[in-house]
Amino acid sequence: MGIKGIKIGTVEIKGKAILAPMAGVGDRAFRETCARFGAACTVSEMVSSKALEFDDKKTLELMELGEEARPAAIQIFGSEPDVMALAARKALEFSPDFIDINMGCPAPKITGPGAGSALMKTPQLCGEIVAAVVAAVPVPVTVKIRAGWDEKSVNAVEVASICEQAGAAAVAVHARTRSQMYEPPADWSIIKAVKEAVKIPVIGNGDVTGAQSAARMLEQTGCDAVMVGRAALGNPWIFQQINAYLDERRIVPPPSLSERMQIMVQHVELMCRYKGEYRAMKEARKHVGWYLKGLRGASEFRRCAGFLESLADLDALVKDVIAAQEETPLSEK
Ligand SMILES: Cc1cc2nc3c(=O)[nH]c(=O)nc-3n(C[C@H](O)[C@H](O)[C@H](O)COP(=O)(O)O)c2cc1C
């Protein structure tokens, strides 16, 4: 591949399309599926620094990183520098290539105690957290921020600069404020402003929906890499499409129906391997729904996906889906 990658501290990222951290969906199976299609780097679901103090089993599971999805970061959240430093040290047991600090989560249960995007309101504390984590671990430390807390306090440039001074090796910028949550179109000009203000690599995030929009974000903002979240759901081949387009302006069509079903089944099989069939099938239901999006009869099949209990159920569903598409032409996804 001819795409020039980026370097995060000492870690070489061989590409420009990174999988965004996504709690509840970006588990090991999904990250490995995206890496198989060329995601240049993956980030774990966010992990509570407080929960790490108690060796909570589910929390530890979030940090398991396979060799197939590297380089990989473990993302931690919290608001106390010393607790964050301890959490980062604990995370080292899982050999992350770097540690990412969450400064963007908008959920009230995270922002209430001052973590996630609430940190955007206290830039000095952001710097203290980064400095404490950098001092605690030998791997590079990155931050993922938002544009700001709300429209009246867009301060991504200030927060990114403070984090850089405190030792952050890269910054990912989700180009929305906390009060915008996930809805209005991201304002990429804030990514450009951050890129112009810092020397560390800047990863742009927000509304990359395909190969062309990835190229547009890189061009318009000058960012060093893009981070893809929701557009990868049920669509992990987006990384292959982005890479081919950035590399040689080649448009890779989406996989055929049978390939798509095969990718979905392999993804769910991985979930079963890592979580056991009982739990995995419950969590797989939403992924299956995303893979079926846009297919003929999708709404009914997605309803059926809500009852999946086993891989055998999934096999039966796939047969029905394929049969239904053969009856009528497949609509474009
Ligand atoms: C289901 C879901 C879970 C998310 N969980 C996290 C998370 O754990 N940590 C984080 O920094 N961002 C999280 N995000 C935000 C994404 O990483 C990303 O910043 C956001 O979705 C915007 O990118 P997109 O437009 O490509 O989706 C999550 C987003 C979604 C949709």
Side-chain angles (χ1 to χ4, degrees):
M1 196 164 64
I3 307 171
K4 209 167 157 278
I6 63 169
K7 243 181 149 184
I8 295 184
T10 49
V11 179
E12 192 109 27
I13 310 287
K14 295 197 181 89
K16 286 192 182 293
I18 294 172
L19 175 65
M22 283 187 280
V25 286
D27 60 3
R28 180 174 172 185
F30 185 61
R31 296 194 304 270
E32 290 183 6
T33 302
C34 290
R36 186 184 136 203
F37 284 101
C41 171
T42 63
V43 187
S44 78
E45 300 171 71
M46 61 181 181
V47 173
S48 160
S49 56
K50 280 239 188 281
L52 275 182
E53 286 186 287
F54 305 107
D55 276 350
D56 174 60
K57 189 168 163 275
K58 275 213 168 138
T59 304
L60 295 177
E61 183 196 276
L62 293 176
M63 295 193 292
E64 278 169 17
L65 308 173
E67 285 315 302
E68 294 79 1
R70 287 187 183 268
I74 289 178
Q75 188 189 66
I76 54 174
F77 71 89
S79 59
E80 295 160 63
D82 52 339
V83 178
M84 289 290 272
L86 278 175
R89 285 198 74 80
K90 181 97 196 160
L92 288 181
E93 288 170 23
F94 294 84
S95 307
D97 297 287
F98 53 97
I99 298 284
D100 186 50
I101 299 176
N102 182 319
M103 299 185 180
C105 180
K109 69 171 188 227
I110 308 293
T111 58
S117 58
L119 287 170
M120 299 297 296
K121 293 194 279 191
T122 49
Q124 292 312 322
L125 179 57
C126 293
E128 286 165 30
I129 289 174
V130 171
V133 175
V134 167
V137 296
V139 295
V141 175
T142 58
V143 292
K144 181 161 176 284
I145 66 175
R146 280 194 174 235
W149 175 256
D150 61 21
E151 289 64 21
K152 290 191 219 80
S153 57
V154 172
N155 62 348
V157 168
E158 181 194 6
V159 172
S161 303
I162 287 174
C163 291
E164 177 180 43
Q165 275 158 30
V171 56
V173 184
H174 178 188
R176 285 188 184 87
T177 62
R178 187 271 178 179
S179 50
Q180 291 174 321
M181 304 295 276
Y182 294 98
E183 266 310 312
D187 175 4
W188 292 353
S189 68
I190 193 73
I191 300 171
K192 184 166 192 263
V194 171
K195 176 63 194 168
E196 283 164 4
V198 300
K199 292 196 178 63
I200 52 176
V202 173
I203 300 157
N205 172 238
D207 293 348
V208 172
T209 53
Q212 276 104 334
S213 63
R216 253 195 328 273
M217 180 187 272
L218 288 163
E219 273 157 33
Q220 285 177 14
T221 69
C223 66
D224 300 278
V226 299
M227 182 175 259
V228 183
R230 290 164 296 175
L233 299 172
N235 194 35
W237 47 85
I238 190 173
F239 293 99
Q240 191 179 42
Q241 295 174 315
I242 294 175
N243 291 341
Y245 192 73
L246 295 182
D247 203 9
E248 44 188 12
R249 287 292 183 262
R250 188 162 51 86
I251 310 263
V252 174
S256 66
L257 174 68
S258 62
E259 286 167 336
R260 187 158 146 184
M261 293 299 100
Q262 195 185 21
I263 295 161
M264 174 179 81
V265 170
Q266 285 168 346
H267 173 179
V268 177
E269 281 171 353
L270 270 184
M271 293 180 79
C272 292
R273 185 185 315 162
Y274 296 138
K275 297 183 175 180
E277 194 170 9
Y278 179 77
R279 211 178 106 211
M281 290 312 297
K282 287 189 169 28
E283 295 183 16
R285 293 168 185 170
K286 52 184 180 260
H287 287 280
V288 171
W290 288 317
Y291 280 104
L292 299 179
K293 218 168 123 189
L295 295 180
R296 179 73 53 176
S299 57
E300 177 56 16
F301 289 130
R302 291 171 81 170
R303 203 188 58 77
C304 297
F307 298 98
L308 290 171
E309 301 275 0
S310 65
L311 284 169
D313 290 349
L314 182 62
D315 252 11
L317 179 65
V318 166
K319 286 198 179 81
D320 289 346
V321 169
I322 291 178
Q325 311 314 302
E326 281 162 359
E327 284 160 22
T328 43
L330 167 64
S331 62
E332 271 299 304
K333 190 174 175 188

